[in-house]
Amino acid sequence: MKKILGSLAAGVLLSGAVGMSYAAAAGNIWMDESADIQAKQFRKVILLPMRVGSESVGRVDANQGFNSYLHARINKKIKNTNFLGFGNQLEEKKQILRETPEYQALLDNFSSEGARAKAIYDTTMADGYLVPHLRSKGVRVDHSPATWTTVRMESYYDLINGPKGNAYKLKYHSWIQNYQIPAHDSYLQMMNMDFVLYDASTGKQAMTLVDYYKNYGVDEWHAFKQITKNFVGDWGRLKRHPEQKVPANAPTISIGKIVIPEDIKGDEMIAKTLEYAIQDEAENSLKKVKLDNSGAKTRYYITGKITRCNSGQTWHPPYATALTMFDHSEKFQWEDSNGNKQTATKNYYRTAITNHFGYYSFWYEVGVALRVIDSQTGSIVCSVFRTESDDDRYANALRSSIRRLCKTIDNKLGSK
């Protein structure tokens, strides 16, 4: 899930309007680079308690484990920025905002983010404040039914240092056996989150990340840690965000109006996922053409639509595998022709059956119809019409098509 810069960052995907603010993307995260002070330059950030669901503000006495882990992870990985939290979150007491009326008032309900930002700035003089938001979490139980199958079984033994030397697969026997795979419940952990960094001088969003996690056999702590690591890692990348490396005389291109299906516009998570991916991948993949999202008119621009955005799951039924493995050993002595006692070993092998319970795999599919337009002539320079899928993310599926388009753009325009 990466962010679209340029026109998309201003809301092209959501509103269909042309034109966008200058921004930077990395991984699943986006940052507004048109702000007076860019997020990567913030030196003091207030970490508010995590909001849950439709809460307008988080509570200090809730989710302290999550808040503490996020606070510690950010402090460890994000350099040159001081993060201050609320309540008894960390042992570093000097980095905790005390439970005083002055600081507790910052957790009140405000009429707007602008009002909250003013209160935070007046009280703490911070550059910004970070609001983690747990959109949803849950566990889904997927039932794998008891299932009959057949497996091929084997038994034999190897004789080591016997009267006639070594011998293998003695008394070999194989047969087909009916076997019932037992019923089993698998627990699918799911979590959706976003993180928004606000500019404390304006209350405007300075940086955003939307992420989700889905996996079997883990708990919510594992899910939260994975999302947090993704967030902090992408934030670190943004702070080190380099200029796009293209030739000095490279032609420029911008991202124009890109329409998404009506049924997707209402899903902010999917919309932002697509938004982030286009800009980040275009900036990463273009090697001979400069992506310009400053708002200045460029000769070339990308336009078009997302033709489809689907997700689903595929059931994989239970099955069993049979693997012949060492079972046990027996030793016995025998006397050779010279009257010397020798020790022989019988190594017995039996087939062990391993159950593989049924489960769902997930897929995300994105189709695009994108064109590169020469603004001087109105002609189509190149286009891409593709549908790609990925096991984990909409963004990854979309990126495959964007990479293909960028390669064509470089070939078509890079030499001009």
Side-chain angles (χ1 to χ4, degrees):
M1 305 158 117
K2 322 251 166 163
K3 240 174 174 170
I4 272 190
L5 308 184
S7 28
L8 294 179
V12 171
L13 288 182
L14 299 176
S15 67
V18 179
M20 58 171 150
S21 61
Y22 187 37
N28 305 326
I29 201 170
W30 162 90
M31 179 172 62
D32 182 3
E33 290 194 331
S34 66
D36 294 336
I37 301 177
Q38 296 178 24
K40 63 185 176 183
Q41 297 173 316
F42 285 6
R43 293 292 176 263
K44 184 177 181 180
V45 174
I46 305 302
L47 174 60
L48 295 182
M50 184 171 69
R51 293 194 304 119
V52 177
S54 60
E55 289 180 344
S56 58
V57 64
R59 296 183 292 109
V60 173
D61 60 347
N63 301 300
Q64 279 300 299
F66 285 173
N67 288 324
S68 296
Y69 181 82
L70 174 61
H71 198 162
R73 185 79 186 181
I74 294 176
N75 273 326
K76 180 179 179 180
K77 296 295 183 179
I78 304 300
K79 306 301 181 183
N80 302 318
T81 303
N82 186 26
F83 295 91
L84 305 180
F86 284 82
N88 186 23
Q89 294 186 28
L90 296 174
E91 293 181 1
E92 297 99 301
K93 299 297 183 181
K94 63 180 181 180
Q95 294 191 7
I96 297 172
L97 299 182
R98 303 297 187 211
E99 293 184 9
T100 64
E102 182 181 24
Y103 291 133
Q104 293 305 305
L106 302 180
L107 300 177
D108 293 341
N109 290 319
F110 288 84
S111 59
S112 66
E113 284 301 332
R116 183 185 304 279
K118 184 178 186 306
I120 288 177
Y121 183 80
D122 290 346
T123 304
T124 67
M125 294 296 289
D127 300 308
Y129 57 97
L130 177 65
V131 181
H133 177 207
L134 179 61
R135 292 169 174 258
S136 64
K137 66 176 181 177
V139 177
R140 190 181 81 184
V141 181
D142 290 336
H143 181 70
S144 177
T147 305
W148 282 98
T149 187
T150 58
V151 292
R152 183 173 181 270
M153 307 291 288
E154 292 181 317
S155 68
Y156 61 87
Y157 68 87
D158 296 338
L159 180 60
I160 308 301
N161 193 36
K164 296 182 179 180
N166 297 339
Y168 301 95
K169 289 195 173 182
L170 301 175
K171 296 291 181 71
Y172 179 84
H173 177 53
S174 68
W175 67 99
I176 301 299
Q177 176 174 306
N178 290 326
Y179 176 76
Q180 186 182 51
I181 304 168
H184 179 78
D185 287 335
S186 296
Y187 296 86
L188 181 70
Q189 183 71 49
M190 301 174 289
M191 182 175 288
N192 295 334
M193 290 197 68
D194 64 54
F195 302 83
V196 180
L197 179 66
Y198 291 92
D199 186 333
S201 62
T202 64
K204 295 180 179 179
Q205 294 187 12
M207 190 171 71
T208 305
L209 176 135
V210 179
D211 204 0
Y212 55 90
Y213 184 84
K214 195 182 290 185
N215 199 7
Y216 286 106
V218 300
D219 59 14
E220 64 180 25
W221 255 107
H222 176 87
F224 180 80
K225 287 181 178 180
Q226 290 302 116
I227 291 176
T228 298
K229 289 176 182 178
N230 291 342
F231 169 52
V232 176
D234 286 349
W235 191 348
R237 286 178 57 198
L238 273 184
K239 286 176 71 72
R240 303 185 301 271
H241 189 263
E243 291 292 327
Q244 184 189 10
K245 295 181 180 179
V246 296
N249 62 343
T252 57
I253 192 170
S254 59
I255 301 174
K257 180 179 179 180
I258 299 179
V259 179
I260 64 172
E262 286 295 326
D263 59 337
I264 300 302
K265 287 184 180 179
D267 191 322
E268 183 185 12
M269 179 176 292
I270 297 178
K272 285 184 178 295
T273 293
L274 301 177
E275 189 180 335
Y276 302 170
I278 296 176
Q279 171 62 36
D280 191 38
E281 192 57 50
E283 191 168 23
N284 290 339
S285 298
L286 288 171
K287 306 301 181 184
K288 301 178 182 178
V289 177
K290 182 170 181 58
L291 183 65
D292 185 349
N293 293 305
S294 63
K297 185 176 181 180
T298 59
R299 177 169 178 178
Y300 304 99
Y301 63 92
I302 301 172
T303 187
K305 61 183 179 179
I306 305 296
T307 58
R308 63 191 303 168
C309 184
N310 299 321
S311 65
Q313 57 187 21
T314 302
W315 172 251
H316 300 269
Y319 66 98
T321 56
L323 179 64
T324 301
M325 304 174 62
F326 171 78
D327 185 53
H328 69 281
S329 292
E330 293 179 356
K331 295 183 181 297
F332 66 91
Q333 289 188 330
W334 57 277
E335 192 174 280
D336 62 22
S337 58
N338 296 321
N340 297 320
K341 289 186 177 181
Q342 302 287 341
T343 300
T345 302
K346 285 184 177 181
N347 292 324
Y348 288 87
Y349 295 85
R350 297 287 186 272
T351 297
I353 301 174
T354 301
N355 297 314
H356 301 270
F357 301 111
Y359 68 98
Y360 286 99
S361 65
F362 305 92
W363 51 266
Y364 300 85
E365 182 182 66
V366 179
V368 299
L370 301 177
R371 300 177 298 279
V372 176
I373 306 297
D374 185 333
S375 62
Q376 293 184 2
T377 65
S379 61
I380 298 175
V381 177
C382 58
S383 59
V384 59
F385 301 89
R386 294 185 65 81
T387 298
E388 299 280 358
S389 62
D390 184 78
D391 294 340
D392 298 312
R393 296 184 181 277
Y394 290 108
N396 295 347
L398 179 56
R399 283 169 175 271
S400 297
S401 297
I402 300 300
R403 281 195 293 270
R404 182 176 291 267
L405 178 62
C406 289
K407 185 176 181 179
T408 304
I409 292 172
D410 278 339
N411 291 336
K412 291 278 188 179
L413 304 178
S415 60
K416 297 183 179 181

